[in-house]
Amino acid sequence: MNRNTQLGISLSEAVSSVAAGMREITVKVSGSKGRHGSGTVWWPGLIVTNAHVANSQVHDVEFEAGMKVPGWLVARDCDLDLAALAVSAPLARGAAIRSASHLRAGEMVLALGNPFDGRGSVTAGIVHCPVGNSPRLLADIRLAPGYSGGPLVETGGSVIGINSMIVGPLGCAITSDAVEEFLSRFHLSEAA
Amino acid sequence: MPSTLAEFSQQLANTVEKAGQSVLSVLEGGRAGVSGTVWREGIGVAVDHTIQGLEEVTVILPSGKETIVSVTGRDPGTDLAILKLPTDTPAAALGDDSGARPGEIVLSIGRRGTEGLAATYGLISAIGGPWRTSSGGRIDRWFRLDLNPFPGFSGGPIINAGCEVLGIATSGPGRSAAVVPAATVNRIVDQLVKHGRTVRGYIGIGVQPVAFPEDAWQKLGISGGRGLLIIAVAPDSAATESGLMLGDVIVAIDGNALQSGASLQSMLDGESVGKPVSLGVVRGGQLMKVAVTVREKSAS
């Protein structure tokens, strides 16, 4: 096998393995009228998703392993399009979170979620432009409605944003930094 | 294994950063700014229609410095314009677009105002041969790119994974990203720098495609049934000088049977100005030869 084929396979496997690692912290969130979106386990007990996905008091939250629990709305910011759901589930860990401020244009990112038929999916793209001070990150990535609320991760497997909307051909995510600020505004913090 | 992915990711970002050193922002272009590429020392290239009607534009150089530069040449045929830049901006590393292959990774780099660099990525989907734009410009190679355009990307470079510029990004049909290949840009920049404009030939005729019935071909002694019927002759033009008349049907150029309307366009490239061309013409049912000396098209 020549080196290029090897590298191609390594890259493929690497993307798959990052995606596999991320499925544990990606959930499916039921919305109104049979619609569904996604959510990200920010820490054990707390799911972060979009405000447009979580628009009622309680939602069904389904984990990759099949476990289904109710998620209670505990925070919502419609301007930022963020919401937080409290769940009672035996989760060992939440996502590894990293600031989006260091990301450069061209860096690869993966989006996870539950588009179309509602089963877990991953899509890959690149950071479109550096975030600067904005709470929104633009990526050259193909999102679809069911990805909303799911994690946007960088190649190391850390979450750097929450997928939230489609802007023309590009995808938009709320940065992890904006999520942290949103959670502290609602006085939500991980139990020690 | 994840480190391979991280490496790949960093390399993509490094390539964007490196190419970005030759990408500038043109503030007045398009709706909220467009990009430009430092093609050679002191010469920037932008997409002509994005800066139409402007003699000077405000640019933000890769260094961050904002300055006003003049538009020193335009070629509507290929939709390219050149800007006079300060000489201390590094020129892009130009690639050989003839060596590009379908499947290669390409990046579109743009800079809009003070936002900084922006990029999208994709593949070269297909590569074709030379073609002509609707305004008569000759494009050396056709590329189909599987790559997203984005606001302000026009005028920026399309680069390959080796960070070499394959061409200038522009809008394609149906909101796609298209590229004017480096070979074409080089040719146009040469002409614009030399003459301030691209030289186009002009004969002074309006034509309409016609087709002869098959039995007429042999009777007339022409091969193939295609012709161009002259439906207008401009006064005081190369056409009137040569004696071309309304109703003449052009069937051959320099002995070659007419392939299409585009054959006439190829007669009008800058290189043919001042040169005589022999046209095979059917007049009054007779085939004859008319010599035409192509003149230069005036700027108006």
Side-chain angles (χ1 to χ4, degrees), chain A residues 7 10-11 13-15 17-18 104-108 110 124-130 140 142 155 169-170, chain B residues 1-2 4-6 8-10 12-14 16-17 107 115-121 146 148-151:
Chain A
L7 185 61
S10 302
L11 282 173
E13 284 174 340
V15 173
S17 88
V18 172
R104 297 183 291 155
E107 284 195 57
M108 188 165 227
L110 304 177
I126 62 167
V127 172
H128 178 61
C129 53
D140 181 19
R142 249 188 309 276
T155 53
L170 305 175
Chain B
M1 247 183 289
T4 313
L5 197 61
F8 177 59
S9 177
Q10 290 304 310
L12 279 175
N14 292 342
V16 169
E17 216 172 274
L107 291 151
E115 272 170 27
L117 287 179
T120 54
Y121 81 126
D146 167 33
N148 282 324
F150 54 93

Side-chain angles (χ1 to χ4, degrees), chain B residues 116-148:
Chain B
L117 287 179
T120 54
Y121 81 126
L123 304 179
I124 297 178
S125 295
I127 303 178
W131 60 286
R132 280 200 186 264
T133 67
S134 51
S135 23
R138 179 162 58 92
I139 307 284
D140 292 62
R141 200 162 288 105
W142 170 78
F143 284 94
R144 185 188 299 137
L145 303 178
D146 167 33
L147 181 143
N148 282 324

Side-chain angles (χ1 to χ4, degrees), chain B residues 262-288:
Chain B
S263 315
L264 202 63
Q265 287 283 6
S266 65
M267 221 181 109
L268 302 176
D269 279 338
E271 299 88 52
S272 40
V273 168
K275 296 205 188 95
V277 178
S278 169
L279 296 180
V281 163
V282 173
R283 182 184 291 168
Q286 302 287 329
L287 180 64
M288 53 191 283

Side-chain angles (χ1 to χ4, degrees), chain B residues 38-94:
Chain B
V38 184
W39 199 257
R40 295 179 192 162
E41 199 186 315
I43 302 174
V45 172
V47 172
D48 183 46
H49 80 264
T50 62
I51 51 170
Q52 213 154 53
L54 300 168
E55 305 225 346
E56 281 183 338
V57 287
T58 317
V59 301
I60 298 190
L61 300 170
S63 60
K65 183 172 156 213
E66 189 174 312
T67 182
I68 296 182
V69 299
S70 33
V71 181
T72 50
R74 291 177 188 274
D75 177 42
T78 51
D79 201 13
L80 293 172
I82 58 171
L83 313 170
K84 184 160 193 271
L85 302 177
T87 46
D88 55 357
T89 319
L94 304 183

Side-chain angles (χ1 to χ4, degrees), chain B residues 28 37 41 72 95 106 111 115 117 129 132 139 157 183-184 194 204 210 247 261 272 293:
Chain B
E28 297 91 340
T37 303
E41 199 186 315
T72 50
V106 283
R111 193 185 287 274
E115 272 170 27
L117 287 179
R132 280 200 186 264
I139 307 284
T184 307
K194 201 166 162 197
V210 292
S272 40
T293 304

Side-chain angles (χ1 to χ4, degrees), chain B residues 243-264:
Chain B
L244 282 174
M245 297 168 76
L246 268 184
D248 284 350
V249 182
I250 301 172
V251 294
I253 299 174
D254 278 339
N256 301 316
L258 212 62
Q259 291 302 313
S260 64
S263 315
L264 202 63

